[in-house]
Amino acid sequence: MSLEHQSLDEMPKPTSTPIPVDLSKYSKRVLLKTILDRGDGGLGLIDQRVVVGGWVKSSRELRKDHPPATQPPVGGDAKESTGGKDVKCVEVFQSRIPFLRTIIKVFGGNTAHTKEKLDSILPKSAAPSVSNLLISDGSCVLSLQVVVDSSLAPPSQIMPTGTCILAEGVLQKASLQGKYAIELKAEKLLHIGIVDQDNYPLSKRGLPLARLRDCAHFRPRTTTVASVMKVRNGLNQASHSFFQNHGFIHVEVPIITATNTEGFSDIFQLSIVEKSKKVEELKRSDSNKEALAAAVQDLHKTNLLAAELEARSKLKSKSRSTIENIKKKDGYFTNQAFLTTSGSLHLESCASALGNVYAFGPRFQADKSESKKLLAEKWMIETEIAFSELEDAMNCAEDFLKFVSNWVSENCYENLYFLSKRVDKTIPDRLNLLASTVFEKITYTTAVEVLSKVTDKTFEAKIQWGVALTEEHESYLVDEFYKKPIIVYDHPKELKPFNVRLNDDGKTVAAFDLIIPKATLIRGSQKEERLNHLSKRIKELGLSKDQYEWYLDLRKQGTVKHSGFNVMFDVMVLFATGLNDVRDAVPFPRHHGKIHN
Amino acid sequence: MSLEHQSLDEMPKPTSTPIPVDLSKYSKRVLLKTILDRGDGGLGLIDQRVVVGGWVKSSRELRKDHPPATQPPVGGDAKESTGGKDVKCVEVFQSRIPFLRTIIKVFGGNTAHTKEKLDSILPKSAAPSVSNLLISDGSCVLSLQVVVDSSLAPPSQIMPTGTCILAEGVLQKASLQGKYAIELKAEKLLHIGIVDQDNYPLSKRGLPLARLRDCAHFRPRTTTVASVMKVRNGLNQASHSFFQNHGFIHVEVPIITATNTEGFSDIFQLSIVEKSKKVEELKRSDSNKEALAAAVQDLHKTNLLAAELEARSKLKSKSRSTIENIKKKDGYFTNQAFLTTSGSLHLESCASALGNVYAFGPRFQADKSESKKLLAEKWMIETEIAFSELEDAMNCAEDFLKFVSNWVSENCYENLYFLSKRVDKTIPDRLNLLASTVFEKITYTTAVEVLSKVTDKTFEAKIQWGVALTEEHESYLVDEFYKKPIIVYDHPKELKPFNVRLNDDGKTVAAFDLIIPKATLIRGSQKEERLNHLSKRIKELGLSKDQYEWYLDLRKQGTVKHSGFNVMFDVMVLFATGLNDVRDAVPFPRHHGKIHN
């Protein structure tokens, strides 16, 4: 037959096989984001066979032996899902089960008894049923409904909140009308990670953030904390983008340092714990004979092996064995070693060669503050710019904040939207304020003058030139007086670190604080490039000259005017997410007290 | 006059003002990169007035009172630069001056005497002359020639290597034929940061890398170290890009931990140094009365201020004063605190909620190794992938390396080219090998078999199943046998951390090492997701069960199969730059001995 005589009906039809949905590249499953974050809510993927994985957020069981009570099955899809039989919804709120167990325990009854009582209350899982699981895999805010027939797995095993499921099945139109357009009809359960409900903190729904802190290792499973972590990731990306776009070189400044950078904080000092000591400790405590035996055997084996190797060949330094080190017991560093409080001194050294540099890393201080904005371990972005003065650093800091605010608004929309519903509805306004307003720049002296004239309000701490502004003062200036972010510069020298550049008045230094609603987010300064001024200040403050010798070298050898600033990254996360306590903005916060995870 | 009658000569000419070159945004100067990294070598910018800054790399002085010896002035530009007079090149190699001074010192002579002798040898700077300074600002490999008339500054002040110069002037065609097309004729020197040549280590040219380690705070001023730092920055950027492109969330895992992650290393423990203790120490040492007085006064003032504030108002926890903390003397954490050796346990917790996560940060170990690839403080990239097995992690690691190798080849071309000339000419080939070759994947058992059959070579350490492969073994496999990067997987369980998944054979675990020429760059594994296996291993190794309680929780509550890997970031820098010692690849390396900077 020639093409000319072929009617349209006879033309070969395009194959009806849908384009397979993308596999997540390094795990054999499809990310829920790929299915749910589409304009059509996933409808275009109906009939596709996929593997999905996630953790149960909530669930309900539908018995097969009763007709549906409220929600009629919808069309052929529903029929398919229930094997053609009518269903009755007997919704079992699994989240109540631990509560019931507790009640029974508290009001007497041994374990066997408890089980009996529970069985009388809880649904008979043996009867054929369908479990509807809402699962989340962290790739997006939304959850996917997975429909699991009781023939595949006992509902009691898969329904508890927090259960991990890896399921293979076919995407179909949602069997019951509701929030979601589609669901997965499971045909195979490839993995089940069960939950011990009695001991799983997230079994209880809607725990407040303060309670979630006690289980930092689980809390990213809540949509709120997951959203915070994604905004945090976005802020990280945006920060790197800003600096790289402007030609700054990222430098990994050291964490272990011999220099106590600012002289304002309590600090952490380092000692060394050797493997052999661990064995000795175990011996002394004698708490676990088995463990001790194993450890001794382990050490013994390693020593034997080392000796053998050493004898057999010229075992040189390049060997990976750690034996020699186990034998030595002296200190690791010959001078005192601390955890760095700030990377700025080291960054200055790099700026005095590479021009513009920045660092992103952890900084430490051991002050036992109860502040909601301060941790022992905090992440900071620090930057130094060669051939620059205070004004340049202030401009850069302002541009940085504007860029980052815009970036997260555009790229973390889904999570910010969720957080603005759950945590703080002013998030979009606040980000917009940062992105679009020109910040007010005032001197410290002006700030004091403004505050001194305030008559309609009494501050807890009296305002006085030479004393640091309190949060209350700053909040007044930002929220009530200027009604926008402010930069306060030229502070009294006593309030700022030793290395800030002295102004011509001999009393103030070229430092600035960038203050946004609720927080000081950035502190910056022009550094003292003049050797004589810097040496004098080190002496005045009684700092150890030895520690700063290398730093003074930078002033002796080709000194350059330079300035920079530090961004309190964790506080920036607070600002963008509407949280109040920095312990909720850091994955595993470290503060005074016990380290839990 | 109508347009019709206007001849071409009469047409208004385009303004001859050149488009001004871009200012560096946060410093009032033009980056040298903007001038020199153009196709035309900067010729299109002639006659532009700019401010540039940088450090002198080399210099020579041209006296005005002699005709030029070798290089005649070129055209009108040269005339302009010498004020129309002929010049004679009296090239003074400033780098020899410190050497001369040393000679004079060594062979006797007090300072005054020395100066006299030097003056008799050194050029008379008082005579009118022109200094040609090659300056570099770290923004590119190339330097710019700045021509400074002696009327602007004494040559002896500005010529020493390392001097910092901020100069305003006009770009002009190079006055002498040479490497560069253009130069800056300085009209104003806005800043000079002099150099104390006797004490400036970079006064001596061509110091080997090992010597440069003694002055880590200066060495980024050498083009080699600057290039290494830029490649390092490039690898950082590329790494973030890879993971973000694949939907991984960056997580800042904690540095301070109560968990000694792997049990293989000596570790750092933390104690606290309080501000009040510093004063006590000073008192005891009595070494610096002035410093002591200042410190005591400082503490006294703070205490007074605090008492006053406290009395005056309800000074609550939100105050930023650190007074209360100064008074307390107990520990900061109620349990023992260490520096983390690995972030992978914490990452696993996040992967068990968010899916794919990664971390980039410092990790620590206190082993006194002399290895050229190991430091006390090392930067690592760590990643964990939920719902994945060993094979997924191996594929991801391979793709990661390929991506990163390609990225730096394309984006760090200038610096890699410089390093391939100066350090290792095989850099391009090696990066290309990584980017384009499919890695060989073999089991540990196969590796042992291959090595056992080797007859043309004797290894220092005998090959034996159950013993770790040495660098020599690995090098043989990569360089001589497979001639490509290899991934060795399924290692004996004794050789890997406690949390690697046990294979069905009961002897090996699902771990892998990715080995490239000269180094093991990545170590990865599938983690043990089964509670019973993991608990058993913790007991076998005598690890503290208390420390791992939260970690075991992840297996009790919705456990998931997952795998991941660690990239030794510093070793990756070694590989990409051709360096041999990791101390040259890290800005401020920390190793056994004294901390200098």
Side-chain angles (χ1 to χ4, degrees), chain B residues 208 212 233 366 411 444 467 472:
Chain B
L212 285 173
N233 174 60
N411 294 283
Y444 168 86
V467 177
E472 198 192 11

Side-chain angles (χ1 to χ4, degrees), chain B residues 321-349:
Chain B
S321 157
T322 58
I323 316 315
E324 291 198 330
N325 309 323
I326 289 172
K327 287 178 192 158
K328 285 182 197 161
K329 288 202 179 187
D330 51 332
Y332 188 90
F333 299 112
T334 53
N335 48 349
Q336 282 194 311
F338 309 104
L339 287 192
T340 189
T341 56
S342 155
S344 81
L345 303 195
H346 292 93
L347 266 190
E348 285 181 56
S349 144

Side-chain angles (χ1 to χ4, degrees), chain A residues 26 232 252 256 399 590, chain B residues 26 232 252 256 399 590:
Chain A
Y26 305 112
R232 192 178 166 99
E252 285 89 23
I256 299 173
D399 287 357
R590 298 297 180 236
Chain B
Y26 305 112
R232 192 178 167 100
E252 285 88 22
I256 298 174
D399 287 357
R590 297 297 180 238

Side-chain angles (χ1 to χ4, degrees), chain A residues 25-29 53-55 137-138 162 164 166 191 193-196 199-200 217-218 220-221 232-233 236-237 240 244 250 252 254-256 260 263 266-275 278 290-291 294 312-314 320 325 330-335 346 349 352-354 356 362 366-368 376-377 379 385-388 392 396 399 460 462 471 474 523 539-540 542 550 553 556-559 587-588 590-597, chain B residues 25-29 53-55 137-138 162 164 166 191 193-196 199-200 217-218 220-221 226 232-233 236-237 240 244 250 252 254-256 260 263 266-275 278 290-291 294 312-314 320 325 330-335 346 349 352-354 356 362 366-368 376-377 379 385-388 392 396 399 460 462 471 474 539-540 542 550 553 556-559 587-588 590-597:
Chain A
K25 201 157 180 198
Y26 305 112
S27 59
K28 290 170 192 71
R29 56 160 179 152
W55 289 265
D137 68 356
C164 181
L166 186 66
H191 167 82
I194 60 164
V195 157
D196 167 15
N199 295 306
Y200 186 54
H217 57 305
F218 285 134
R221 294 187 189 178
R232 192 178 166 99
N233 173 61
N236 182 327
Q237 257 190 291
H240 279 296
Q244 295 287 347
H250 183 268
E252 285 89 23
I255 306 303
I256 299 173
N260 170 14
D266 293 346
I267 53 177
F268 290 111
Q269 190 172 353
L270 297 178
S271 57
I272 181 171
V273 182
E274 285 161 295
K275 215 181 167 189
K278 276 180 247 163
E290 211 168 340
R312 200 194 300 165
S313 61
K314 315 118 211 165
R320 285 164 191 195
N325 309 324
D330 51 332
Y332 188 90
F333 299 113
T334 53
N335 47 349
H346 292 93
S349 144
S352 300
L354 300 171
N356 301 357
D367 300 302
K368 284 167 204 150
E377 177 177 328
W379 279 71
I385 309 163
F387 299 103
S388 82
D392 299 301
C396 186
D399 287 357
E460 285 194 2
K462 199 184 145 194
E471 277 187 38
E474 292 176 348
R523 293 186 200 278
K539 211 172 173 185
E540 271 174 11
W550 69 270
D553 264 4
K556 289 176 190 160
Q557 312 291 10
T559 190
F588 296 89
R590 298 297 180 236
H591 47 83
H592 186 202
K594 194 181 173 190
I595 305 171
H596 291 281
N597 318 92
Chain B
K25 202 157 178 199
Y26 305 112
S27 59
K28 290 169 193 72
R29 55 158 180 154
W55 289 265
D137 68 357
C164 180
L166 185 67
H191 166 82
I194 60 164
V195 156
D196 166 15
N199 295 306
Y200 186 54
H217 57 304
F218 285 134
R221 295 187 190 178
R232 192 178 167 100
N233 174 60
N236 183 327
Q237 259 189 289
H240 279 296
Q244 296 286 348
H250 184 268
E252 285 88 22
I255 305 305
I256 298 174
N260 171 15
D266 293 347
I267 54 179
F268 290 109
Q269 190 172 354
L270 297 178
S271 57
I272 181 172
V273 182
E274 285 162 294
K275 215 181 168 190
K278 277 179 246 161
E290 212 167 338
R312 200 194 301 165
S313 62
K314 315 117 212 165
R320 286 169 188 189
N325 309 323
D330 51 332
Y332 188 90
F333 299 112
T334 53
N335 48 349
H346 292 93
S349 144
S352 300
L354 300 171
N356 300 357
D367 300 302
K368 285 166 204 150
E377 176 177 328
W379 279 71
I385 308 164
F387 300 102
S388 82
D392 300 301
C396 186
D399 287 357
E460 287 194 1
K462 200 184 145 193
E471 276 186 39
E474 294 176 346
K539 212 171 172 187
E540 271 175 10
W550 69 270
D553 264 4
K556 290 175 190 162
Q557 313 289 12
T559 189
F588 296 89
R590 297 297 180 238
H591 48 82
H592 187 200
K594 194 180 173 191
I595 305 171
H596 291 282
N597 319 91

Side-chain angles (χ1 to χ4, degrees), chain B residues 6-56:
Chain B
Q6 199 175 13
S7 78
L8 276 176
D9 287 345
E10 289 166 327
M11 288 284 276
K13 293 206 172 57
T15 168
S16 65
T17 315
I19 302 157
V21 66
D22 281 345
L23 263 181
S24 165
K25 202 157 178 199
Y26 305 112
S27 59
K28 290 169 193 72
R29 55 158 180 154
V30 172
L31 292 182
L32 297 190
K33 180 193 177 80
T34 321
I35 298 170
L36 300 169
D37 265 8
R38 298 161 45 108
D40 65 355
L43 284 173
L45 301 173
I46 280 178
D47 289 341
Q48 291 220 15
R49 173 170 297 275
V50 295
V51 172
V52 298
W55 289 265
V56 173

Side-chain angles (χ1 to χ4, degrees), chain A residues 92-209:
Chain A
V92 182
F93 293 100
Q94 289 289 334
S95 59
R96 285 189 192 162
I97 297 180
F99 172 70
L100 289 173
R101 286 193 210 270
T102 310
I103 294 287
I104 290 165
K105 268 185 195 165
V106 167
F107 293 97
N110 57 34
T111 315
H113 206 180
T114 306
K115 196 182 175 310
E116 205 171 274
K117 281 194 190 160
L118 263 181
D119 288 345
S120 68
I121 298 168
L122 297 179
K124 304 284 172 295
S125 293
S129 72
V130 166
S131 302
N132 281 354
L133 314 174
L134 270 183
I135 67 163
S136 165
D137 68 356
S139 68
C140 58
V141 166
L142 298 172
S143 301
L144 176 71
Q145 176 149 291
V146 179
V147 181
V148 187
D149 195 276
S150 56
S151 62
L152 292 180
S156 62
Q157 197 181 57
I158 57 173
M159 290 180 64
T161 300
T163 305
C164 181
I165 297 284
L166 186 66
E168 184 180 331
V170 174
L171 291 170
Q172 62 186 17
K173 207 172 157 191
S175 49
L176 297 173
Q177 272 181 326
K179 214 169 153 189
Y180 299 103
I182 60 162
E183 64 187 20
L184 183 86
K185 164 96 175 105
E187 297 188 348
K188 232 186 260 178
L189 288 183
L190 305 169
H191 167 82
I192 301 169
I194 60 164
V195 157
D196 167 15
Q197 291 178 81
D198 286 349
N199 295 306
Y200 186 54
L202 304 188
S203 286
K204 290 194 186 110
R205 291 249 202 112
L207 281 185
L209 287 167

